[in-house]
Amino acid sequence: MKNRHATRTTLMASLLVLTMIVVAACGGNNNGGGTNGGNSGGAGGEEQVTLTLSHPWTSPNPDNDVYKARIAAFEEANPNIKIEQDAVAAAQYKTKLFTLATANNLADINVVWPGADLDPLTSGDLLLPLNDYMDNWDGLVREGSLTGYNVDGNQFAIPTKQNYVDIVYYNKELLAQVGYDTFPETYADFIDMVKKLKEAGITPISLGNKEKWPLQSSYISVLAQRFGGADFLEKVVAGEAKFTDPEFVSAVGVIDELTKLEAFNVDANNMDSVQAQDYLIQGKAAMHISSATVDARIRTNNEEGDKFGIALFPSVEGGKGEAGIAAGVSQFGIAISSQLDEAKQEAALKFLEFFVSEDLYQDLTAAGILVPADIEPNSDINPYLQEMMELTSKGSTPVFDAVVPTAAAKELENGLQAITIGRSTPEEVAASTQDELGN
């Protein structure tokens, strides 16, 4: 009897343990298992969701550090949502984005650009319209900054920063050495200064065109405005003007003239944009033309920042465009894929609301970055940022590749690089770009 009792007791204990295991397993599934990246087991019983985020925040710029810190803050505040980052260098980012779009394989959340660069993503219904959620940014993000991300009445992304791509950074000491205490106001004086810098053994302009976009974006965007007028690029895309028109040929001719004057460093096409910034910072060149974003690296976070001034490209004789206008664009729009299931879409919208917020704009402003939002800064605006805001306050002209279709923009990039090595002419580059546009 003793053995039977022991056996019975052991059996009952085993059944009790088995019952507890089953109950626990069922309890663990009360919230449902996630699909397409979601699963159970999140903090507090919440569904665990993994979102992929594709972005170009790889270079050592202050704004990139702000973005990545914001992602980390979201994950800390939302332990049930993991952000899996696909970081791609800026020079390759758009190519990869469009390749994934063609394969209908976008990341869950994507950094996108406005205008022409948005078209391949919206024409295939690959992005989620955000119209029903825009109250989150009402009164915060400027209406004009949202326009480039709005297609046929649908809002597809929220921009995170305002950028001007054609800021001329210059070394005050080097310009003073050749008799210029202020930046030239006319193109003729600018060329005169370039010649004097060369005669003094100083490299006039540091250029990092390995990635090809700098000459297209930072140079031709503003040159097209100075020669052709504020609406020249839109007219070309609409078929009302052509790249072969004299105004655009003259704009490209500036690159040809600077090349023949040996204004650029000899290794321009083997150097990237960050290395070109270093040339300026290290005193190896007198000027560098790039975006407002890098002002933080050149001046705000540089102990010797005071020795660098900022300017816009000067007026050109006979040009149709007003001087003092910068080439601007609202950049780094955050967009959500339209292909997500309910759990992932809810998580992605939660990320978007958290990420693009007044806190983000405050952090960017504190880092010396211009933002497309109406905010009252938490602290005094850095004097360098204040100067940048005043410099760009007269209005803006479109950035070339935000208006012109990608294929034509790439054709121009290749042509401009060919000019810098003596293998093409302004007329040939204008003609090949127009052919690629097809209007």
Side-chain angles (χ1 to χ4, degrees), residues 271-305:
M271 179 186 294
D272 64 28
S273 54
V274 175
Q275 291 171 310
Q277 296 165 32
D278 290 338
Y279 254 45
L280 177 76
I281 293 170
Q282 296 164 7
K284 296 179 180 179
M287 293 175 282
H288 175 65
I289 304 177
S290 189
S291 75
T293 297
V294 306
D295 191 46
R297 186 165 186 259
I298 293 174
R299 303 198 300 170
T300 306
N301 299 331
N302 184 356
E303 292 180 357
E304 297 183 298

Side-chain angles (χ1 to χ4, degrees), residues 359-426:
D359 286 342
L360 174 71
Y361 294 132
Q362 290 285 3
D363 291 344
L364 288 170
T365 299
I369 306 299
L370 296 169
V371 297
D374 292 317
I375 61 171
E376 187 67 36
N378 290 332
S379 57
D380 292 338
I381 295 180
N382 182 285
Y384 293 130
L385 180 60
Q386 185 67 46
E387 185 183 5
M388 184 68 73
M389 292 169 67
E390 292 172 0
L391 180 70
T392 57
S393 64
K394 293 182 179 179
S396 65
T397 191
V399 175
F400 190 94
D401 58 5
V403 176
V404 177
T406 301
K410 293 298 181 184
E411 181 65 27
L412 176 66
E413 289 178 0
N414 292 332
L416 293 171
Q417 192 171 77
I419 285 178
T420 65
I421 57 176
R423 294 185 179 176
S424 192
T425 67

Side-chain angles (χ1 to χ4, degrees), residues 6-77:
T7 300
R8 184 178 178 185
T9 300
T10 301
L11 178 60
M12 290 178 67
S14 298
L15 288 171
L16 178 61
V17 170
L18 180 60
T19 301
M20 291 175 66
I21 292 173
V22 171
V23 169
C26 292
N29 285 331
N30 282 344
N31 289 313
T35 59
N36 196 19
N39 52 70
S40 61
E46 291 184 272
E47 182 178 17
Q48 189 71 29
V49 178
T50 296
L51 296 172
T52 55
L53 166 62
S54 185
H55 67 72
W57 302 324
T58 60
S59 60
N61 290 336
D63 58 323
N64 291 349
D65 293 337
V66 171
Y67 293 133
K68 285 182 272 192
R70 193 77 185 142
I71 295 170
F74 174 80
E75 289 186 310
E76 183 176 354

Side-chain angles (χ1 to χ4, degrees), residues 159-399:
T160 58
K161 74 174 183 179
Q162 178 68 33
N163 197 15
Y164 296 93
V165 300
D166 59 327
I167 307 301
V168 183
Y169 298 92
Y170 63 91
N171 186 313
K172 299 174 185 177
E173 298 171 0
L174 295 182
L175 265 60
Q177 285 184 30
V178 295
Y180 282 84
D181 294 326
T182 58
F183 196 80
E185 294 183 0
T186 68
Y187 181 65
D189 285 342
F190 174 77
I191 292 297
D192 180 68
M193 183 180 69
V194 167
K195 292 176 180 178
K196 289 178 178 177
L197 287 167
K198 284 295 294 183
E199 291 170 0
I202 302 169
T203 298
I205 306 172
S206 66
L207 172 64
N209 200 51
K210 180 179 180 180
E211 301 151 307
K212 296 185 181 181
W213 63 260
L215 284 178
Q216 171 262 116
S217 182
S218 295
Y219 286 71
I220 296 300
S221 295
V222 66
L223 289 171
Q225 183 271 345
R226 293 292 191 271
F227 284 94
D231 57 353
F232 180 78
L233 293 179
E234 288 96 333
K235 284 183 176 180
V236 171
V237 173
E240 299 169 5
K242 294 184 178 297
F243 286 127
T244 49
D245 290 348
E247 295 88 347
F248 190 76
V249 174
S250 295
V252 177
V254 171
I255 308 303
D256 189 46
E257 182 170 14
L258 292 175
T259 296
K260 289 174 179 175
L261 290 174
E262 299 180 344
F264 305 123
N265 43 294
V266 295
D267 52 353
N269 289 317
N270 296 317
M271 179 186 294
D272 64 28
S273 54
V274 175
Q275 291 171 310
Q277 296 165 32
D278 290 338
Y279 254 45
L280 177 76
I281 293 170
Q282 296 164 7
K284 296 179 180 179
M287 293 175 282
H288 175 65
I289 304 177
S290 189
S291 75
T293 297
V294 306
D295 191 46
R297 186 165 186 259
I298 293 174
R299 303 198 300 170
T300 306
N301 299 331
N302 184 356
E303 292 180 357
E304 297 183 298
D306 284 344
K307 75 179 183 182
F308 298 106
I310 57 174
L312 296 177
F313 201 84
S315 63
V316 299
E317 185 177 358
K320 297 179 180 179
E322 178 185 354
I325 302 297
V329 62
S330 296
Q331 286 188 325
F332 293 168
I334 309 301
I336 297 174
S337 168
S338 63
Q339 310 299 311
L340 306 185
D341 64 22
E342 184 177 353
K344 294 190 75 173
Q345 180 174 304
E346 182 179 348
L349 287 166
K350 190 172 187 179
F351 173 82
L352 181 61
E353 181 179 355
F354 179 97
F355 188 82
V356 188
S357 63
E358 182 171 349
D359 286 342
L360 174 71
Y361 294 132
Q362 290 285 3
D363 291 344
L364 288 170
T365 299
I369 306 299
L370 296 169
V371 297
D374 292 317
I375 61 171
E376 187 67 36
N378 290 332
S379 57
D380 292 338
I381 295 180
N382 182 285
Y384 293 130
L385 180 60
Q386 185 67 46
E387 185 183 5
M388 184 68 73
M389 292 169 67
E390 292 172 0
L391 180 70
T392 57
S393 64
K394 293 182 179 179
S396 65
T397 191
V399 175

